[in-house]
């Protein structure tokens, strides 16, 4: 079905997670832009109150429900920049196989790298050598997130 399910264990911590997120997410939460492609809410529900903002409810839903990564990737245009916030470039191979070859993929971390900031800047610099990244600021930037279950 190409839908990854999060562990059922996350449902037990959902109320506690919401409480903590309520304390750190600005009120009112930031509204979703047209570039924000949800991987936790089906496309036909993107205009519901749950999916319209970066609220604590949205993020709890994200952790406790299926990841609709394949569905979301269908909305990433060619010539996009993806920024992966995940441990050790977890989604990089999937992004490269699934998206247009003219997309740029940046990752923040890589397994066995001790200086993640240096890794990110090196990654950014290498991309900049291939393409004039800064001159193409008009390109769409998409954020790919992976939530580590071990944090909850």
């Amino acid at each position: 079905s190409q839908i990854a399910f999060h562990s059922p264990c996350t449902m037990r911590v959902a109320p506690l997670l919401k409480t903590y997120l309520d304390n750190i997410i600005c009120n009112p939460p930031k509204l979703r832009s047209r570039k924000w492609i949800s991987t936790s809410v089906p496309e036909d529900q993107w205009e519901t109150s749950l999916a319209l903002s970066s609220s604590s409810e949205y993020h709890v839903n994200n952790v406790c429900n299926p990841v609709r990564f394949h569905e979301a990737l269908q909305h990433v245009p060619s010539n996009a920049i993806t920024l992966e916030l995940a441990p050790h470039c977890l989604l990089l191979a999937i992004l490269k196989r699934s998206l247009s070859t003219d997309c740029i993929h940046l990752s923040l971390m890589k397994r066995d790298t001790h200086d993640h900031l240096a890794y990110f800047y090196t990654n950014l610099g290498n991309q900049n050598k291939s393409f004039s990244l800064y001159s193409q600021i008009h390109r769409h930037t998409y954020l790919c997130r992976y939530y580590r279950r071990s944090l909850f």
Side-chain angles (χ1 to χ4, degrees):
S1 70
Q2 298 192 25
I3 297 176
F5 289 89
H6 283 164
S7 170
C9 298
T10 59
M11 294 299 251
R12 294 185 308 183
V13 298
L16 183 60
L17 176 59
K18 184 182 178 318
T19 299
Y20 283 113
L21 289 174
D22 283 340
N23 290 323
I24 60 173
I25 293 178
C26 300
N27 196 5
K30 184 175 180 172
L31 294 178
R32 180 172 58 95
S33 75
R34 64 178 178 78
K35 294 180 185 180
W36 177 356
I37 299 172
S38 177
T39 59
S40 65
V41 177
E43 181 182 1
D44 63 351
Q45 297 174 22
W46 283 359
E47 298 305 318
T48 63
S49 60
L50 175 66
L52 287 176
S53 69
S54 181
S55 65
S56 56
E57 291 85 359
Y58 175 83
H59 291 286
V60 169
N61 180 72
N62 195 0
V63 171
C64 296
N65 286 290
V67 177
R68 301 173 179 282
F69 198 63
H70 177 74
E71 181 181 316
L73 286 179
Q74 306 311 305
H75 296 278
V76 177
S78 62
N79 204 26
I81 300 170
T82 62
L83 175 60
E84 181 180 4
L85 304 176
H88 61 83
C89 306
L90 184 69
L91 303 173
L92 187 59
I94 295 170
L95 292 171
K96 285 183 175 182
R97 280 194 316 264
S98 303
L99 298 177
S100 173
T101 57
D102 63 355
C103 289
I104 294 177
H105 311 290
L106 301 174
S107 297
L108 291 181
M109 297 191 294
K110 185 176 182 180
R111 179 178 289 169
D112 300 326
T113 300
H114 300 290
D115 188 347
H116 294 290
L117 189 59
Y119 170 78
F120 175 71
Y121 284 135
T122 301
N123 191 3
L124 186 63
N126 289 338
Q127 294 295 342
N128 197 29
K129 285 180 197 173
S130 302
F131 312 125
S132 180
L133 184 63
Y134 297 108
S135 68
Q136 298 181 29
I137 202 70
H138 67 279
R139 293 169 66 155
H140 300 287
T141 303
Y142 292 86
L143 187 65
C144 301
R145 293 185 191 176
Y146 171 80
Y147 288 95
R148 291 181 54 172
R149 289 185 207 121
S150 61
L151 295 177
F152 306 108

